[in-house]
Amino acid sequence: MTGGIIFQVAYIRFVFLGPTARALDLSAQDYGNIVSVFGIVAMVMYFFGGWFADKFSPKALIVVALAGTGVADLYLGTVPGYWGTLAAHLLMAVMGMGLYWAALVKAIGMLGDSSEQGRLFGFLEGVRGVTSTIIGFAGTAIVAASVAEAAGVLWLIRIYGLLCFVFAALVWLFVKGDEERLAALGSSTVTLRQLWLAAKNKYTWLIGGTVMLMYCFYTTLGYFSPLLENRYGMAAALIGVIGVVRTYVFQFVAGPAGGMVVDKVTKSSPRFLRWMFAGSAVVALVFLVLPRSSAFKWVALALMFALCLCVFASRGVYWAQVGEVEVPENERGGVIGLASGLAYLPDAFLPALCAWWIGDPSATPVVPEHGGGYTTLFAFLLAMALFGLLLTTLTDRTRRRERAARTHTETPSPEPVPTGS
């Protein structure tokens, strides 16, 4: 449940993009720049998370991370200006990605043996998604009931901050540690040697690049809200609800569904991801040519939900590729670490770039689109989808060639047939 709480404010833009910028008294561009800096720091913190999880108790790290995030949230609720908002986002990045995430993975790992890990982490993702959905809908109701959306968002940020403190107390009081099982989990720290081995592994770049290309779609989903409202005439009251469905409902519905399709149908994660990139390419192409008028608002909504299905189904099987291509156990930490640094790179530049592309029609004075606006955004996404098709095809073919070569090597030569005299 803490996973459904701790990242709410850091990623609140996925549900309330414009209202959050106005609530914090920032321009859309300034808010986009701050979120990009958050993405850069978060990306770096992923590498340090394993070290923290090895040095300190996972329970203590989770409690500190929740409390620290609560402080950042409540500070944001005071509308601290540009530099204060930036400082709060830096603190959220350190708390969430540096202290919390690797500690959470270790804490969940302690709950069962190796045969139970899939079920435990599946249940984690499900509870996280349900918690996020419930809180998201409650937040939408709070914002809708407010006289001004911006005021509602500020109260929502403060409530999320208080919830962080509540869950920090609950974890401290009720979560028990198991030192023997913790020791059995081994090290989470990614060493320089592991990173060097990962850099020489072709699958690091194929998998990291694949995730990065699909993550471009995930990062831009929040920018569909102003598109639906300002270009397709969707009612403002529906935007928050649509944002919750887009961000959280698809998380716990499409993710498990993607895993089931891989297990039962494609038998291959790269092959399944190729389907998802193909679907995403079609959606981006249709958005490029679809007239932006209220007559097509339901078509635009259906297209966005189709894209959400592709994105969140992909998120459920991203890292399954590491096991499928049989990366050696002693190299997996480095491969996942280096591939993650590449994979989440869009968080470091896309928010600022998208804010520049789409402008802000609700600002005073109005901030116009730049560089082609949404047309450029959808052309960019189409290009990412086509590159994704290429990388998943390369991964799939490379893996099949390796298996064929290994099968040929392991097949014993037939015994010679003796000849009679």
Side-chain angles (χ1 to χ4, degrees):
M1 293 175 75
T2 63
I5 296 289
I6 193 168
F7 298 115
Q8 286 290 334
V9 175
Y11 293 99
I12 197 171
R13 70 183 188 278
F14 283 96
V15 181
F16 303 107
L17 177 63
T20 302
R22 292 191 290 275
L24 297 174
D25 198 23
L26 299 171
S27 69
Q29 186 65 63
D30 283 344
Y31 183 51
N33 294 342
I34 288 171
V35 170
S36 287
V37 174
F38 166 85
I40 293 170
V41 177
M43 185 174 61
V44 174
M45 284 296 110
Y46 275 116
F47 289 96
F48 291 95
W51 183 87
F52 283 115
D54 287 344
K55 296 293 183 183
F56 304 99
S57 158
K59 173 181 172 178
L61 287 174
I62 291 171
V63 170
V64 170
L66 285 164
T69 302
V71 169
D73 293 350
L74 293 178
Y75 179 60
L76 271 182
T78 66
V79 193
Y82 180 88
W83 294 108
T85 301
L86 177 61
H89 278 76
L90 294 179
L91 180 59
M92 286 190 286
V94 173
M95 293 293 110
M97 285 67 178
L99 302 190
Y100 176 81
W101 188 249
L104 176 71
V105 171
K106 273 215 162 182
I108 298 300
M110 287 193 296
L111 298 177
D113 59 30
S114 59
S115 65
E116 299 175 283
Q117 296 302 300
R119 178 175 61 84
L120 288 169
F121 280 95
F123 188 68
L124 164 68
E125 194 63 21
V127 173
R128 184 182 170 200
V130 170
T131 305
S132 297
T133 302
I134 293 171
I135 291 174
F137 277 124
T140 302
I142 290 170
V143 173
S146 302
V147 176
E149 275 189 322
V153 168
L154 280 182
W155 276 110
L156 192 56
I157 289 172
R158 294 165 188 151
I159 290 169
Y160 288 152
L162 292 174
L163 284 174
C164 282
F165 284 109
V166 170
F167 275 90
L170 291 174
V171 170
W172 183 255
L173 292 172
F174 295 108
V175 173
K176 306 300 180 186
D178 187 334
E179 295 302 321
E180 290 184 7
R181 188 164 282 169
L182 177 61
L185 290 176
S187 174
S188 301
T189 305
V190 179
T191 64
L192 290 176
R193 181 177 180 277
Q194 287 177 317
L195 289 175
W196 172 245
L197 291 173
K200 296 192 295 182
N201 191 321
K202 57 184 173 294
Y203 287 116
T204 301
W205 306 103
L206 287 171
I207 293 171
T210 297
V211 180
M212 181 193 71
L213 293 167
M214 186 57 79
Y215 198 73
C216 287
F217 285 90
Y218 175 74
T219 304
T220 56
L221 284 178
Y223 296 91
F224 281 72
S225 291
L227 172 69
L228 291 174
E229 182 177 1
N230 299 317
R231 292 305 190 90
Y232 288 101
M234 191 70 68
L238 288 176
I239 295 299
V241 175
I242 290 169
V244 172
V245 173
R246 178 184 61 216
T247 307
Y248 302 126
V249 173
F250 277 94
Q251 178 182 10
F252 70 84
V253 173
M260 290 175 62
V261 173
V262 170
D263 288 344
K264 303 294 184 183
V265 182
T266 67
K267 310 294 185 181
S268 164
S269 296
R271 205 169 300 153
F272 173 77
L273 290 169
R274 188 165 59 205
W275 288 7
M276 296 301 99
F277 276 116
S280 301
V282 170
V283 172
L285 180 61
V286 174
F287 263 121
L288 265 177
V289 300
L290 186 71
R292 289 169 199 151
S293 73
S294 59
F296 295 94
K297 64 182 177 182
W298 300 112
V299 176
L301 182 63
L303 285 169
M304 186 195 70
F305 282 156
L307 183 60
C308 290
L309 182 64
C310 293
V311 169
F312 284 98
S314 299
R315 279 166 62 89
V317 300
Y318 280 162
W319 301 111
Q321 296 180 94
V322 176
E324 283 186 23
V325 300
E326 298 178 19
V327 173
E329 286 285 349
N330 65 333
E331 295 181 29
R332 288 192 182 184
V335 169
I336 292 174
L338 189 55
S340 295
L342 176 62
Y344 301 120
L345 190 60
D347 265 346
F349 70 90
L350 262 185
L353 188 57
C354 287
W356 185 75
W357 275 336
I358 70 173
D360 187 1
S362 59
T364 306
V366 170
V367 178
E369 291 182 349
H370 300 92
Y374 277 105
T375 300
T376 302
L377 173 60
F378 289 123
F380 169 80
L381 291 178
L382 177 59
M384 297 303 99
L386 295 177
F387 278 123
L389 283 168
L390 175 62
L391 284 191
T392 49
T393 300
L394 283 174
T395 305
D396 191 38
R397 290 184 178 177
T398 301
R399 183 60 189 151
R400 278 189 289 170
R401 279 200 304 269
E402 287 183 348
R403 283 179 173 168
R406 189 171 62 189
T407 301
H408 178 73
T409 303
E410 293 174 352
T411 302
S413 301
E415 293 291 333
V417 179
T419 57
S421 57

